[in-house]
Amino acid sequence: ANTPNSKMNIQWYRGTTPLKNDNRIAGVNSSILTIRNISATDLGSDYWVVAEGLCGSDTVRNFTIVEAITPVITIDPVVGLSE
């Protein structure tokens, strides 16, 4: 059942600091956090979110942003070799 005027409050954090929307970060008060142009300073496992509503609150900790490493081939594969 939907209760009139009920609202879920959501806040994303990094460490102890509440995140704020800016030109790179969006959705700090929604269920989807977007960080554009991720840099090395954004990497870490100290992101977390708090959701509060009529039934109480819940905290989910340790969201992690890691650097994805793209494999680089430095030598062409050898084709047509037989044993």
Side-chain angles (χ1 to χ4, degrees):
N2 198 359
T3 305
N5 300 322
S6 67
K7 180 182 176 194
M8 178 165 296
N9 295 312
I10 296 174
Q11 177 63 57
W12 284 89
Y13 295 83
R14 174 138 196 223
T16 59
T17 305
L19 294 178
K20 296 184 177 174
N21 290 318
D22 60 22
N23 61 340
R24 288 187 341 108
I25 299 173
V28 299
N29 299 116
S30 73
S31 60
I32 299 174
L33 178 68
T34 302
I35 302 176
R36 295 173 191 85
N37 302 319
I38 290 177
S39 68
T41 59
D42 296 314
L43 304 179
S45 61
D46 56 345
Y47 291 89
W48 54 287
V49 64
V50 175
E52 297 176 331
L54 289 176
C55 296
S57 68
D58 196 12
T59 301
V60 180
R61 296 188 178 271
N62 299 333
F63 287 93
T64 302
I65 297 177
V66 297
E67 183 176 13
I69 299 173
T70 304
V72 176
I73 298 174
T74 58
I75 242 175
D76 288 333
V78 178
V79 180
L81 288 179
S82 59
E83 293 184 29

